[in-house]
Every structure is written in C-alpha cells, then in structure tokens.
Amino acid sequence: MLVTNVSLATTTTSCVKVDHTQIEALFEKWNASLQTGDAKKVSENYLSDAVLLPTVSNKVRLTDEERIDYFEHFLEKKPVGKIDSRTIRLGCNKAIDVGTYTFTFADKTKVSARYTFTYVWDGKDWKISSHHSSAMPEG
C-alpha cells in the first residue's frame, strides 16, 4: 500500500469592496480624461496590456503606444461621452460596465455606440483591462 502526504497551499484572495456607484465613477473619470485633450492621460486609465477595440478605428490597440495613437486622433474631435443605458456586474477585483453611450463632438455631430468596459483592481487602483466600443448598426 502506497500512502502519500500531499500538502496543498491555500491562497486567499482579498476582494476589494466596490459598488455600482464607484464603477459608474470610473466612466466619469475616463470621460474627464478625454476633456483634457491629452491622449497620455486617457491611456493612464488602462492596464499596460489592455485591449482597446475602438469606435472609430478598425485597428485593435494592444499597447500604451497604440492606445495613445488612437486617442490623439479621437481627441482632435473634442468628444464628450454620455451614458444612455448601462448594466454593471461586480466580481472579486473585477467589474464590467456594459451598455450604450453617445459622443458629441465639437462640431455638434454625434455618434451612438455600444460599449463594454472591463475593469480590474491592480492592487492600487481600478484600471480598464478591455474596452470595446462599436457604432450602433441601426440609425
């Protein structure tokens, strides 16, 4: 008879307490960073390896440099975002904010889009881990 003694290490995950209001505020923080006109400030909302599937570009942005490049062009239009509808789901050190929003630009044109922001707690702050935005297919 063979008997082995296996000891399994137990890891405990400490979940940061978060509520819907705090996750809603992350969009407002992101939107306020758009108002600065500084693409680097917008990019600071994202993890360094976050995925951005942007509204007005076909290129997937996977690095800080690629996200900054996208936002430099997007910010030229002076966008202001407004949430039209949203659903928030909370998890352990993760959150999802999904819904629809509308951007109004300096020239008064608008684009309505569907969005998904996924957030993670990086040990110090909530950061965007992925952001998908696509223009509404129906006018």
Side-chain angles (χ1 to χ4, degrees):
M1 172 186 217
L2 178 62
V3 178
T4 60
N5 187 4
V6 178
S7 174
L8 298 176
T10 308
T11 58
T12 51
T13 301
S14 176
C15 298
V16 173
K17 291 195 185 283
V18 66
D19 61 29
H20 287 168
T21 303
Q22 290 168 289
I23 299 304
E24 289 172 3
L26 294 174
F27 173 80
E28 297 308 327
K29 176 184 172 189
W30 177 83
N31 195 35
S33 71
L34 295 179
Q35 308 317 298
T36 69
D38 184 341
K40 287 182 109 175
K41 287 199 184 307
V42 179
S43 186
E44 290 170 1
N45 293 292
Y46 294 80
L47 290 174
S48 63
D49 65 347
V51 176
L52 171 62
L53 302 170
T55 313
V56 295
S57 172
N58 291 334
K59 183 178 178 187
V60 176
R61 310 302 170 123
L62 300 173
T63 66
D64 288 327
E65 294 77 23
E66 290 173 338
R67 283 184 295 279
I68 290 167
D69 174 68
Y70 171 74
F71 284 115
E72 283 175 345
H73 299 289
F74 186 64
L75 294 176
E76 290 172 356
K77 302 174 185 182
K78 301 189 181 334
V80 177
K82 178 183 152 304
I83 298 291
D84 299 317
S85 68
R86 73 166 14 129
T87 300
I88 292 175
R89 301 281 188 241
L90 303 175
C92 180
N93 299 328
K94 297 179 182 178
I96 300 170
D97 181 357
V98 59
T100 59
Y101 52 18
T102 300
F103 287 100
T104 303
F105 302 102
D107 66 1
K108 303 299 182 208
T109 60
K110 295 183 179 197
V111 63
S112 294
R114 299 174 283 197
Y115 74 86
T116 302
F117 285 98
T118 62
Y119 297 99
V120 297
W121 179 255
D122 73 355
K124 296 182 287 188
D125 202 3
W126 287 96
K127 296 285 187 175
I128 300 167
S129 58
S130 67
H131 175 193
H132 172 253
S133 182
S134 57
M136 297 295 251
E138 300 172 12

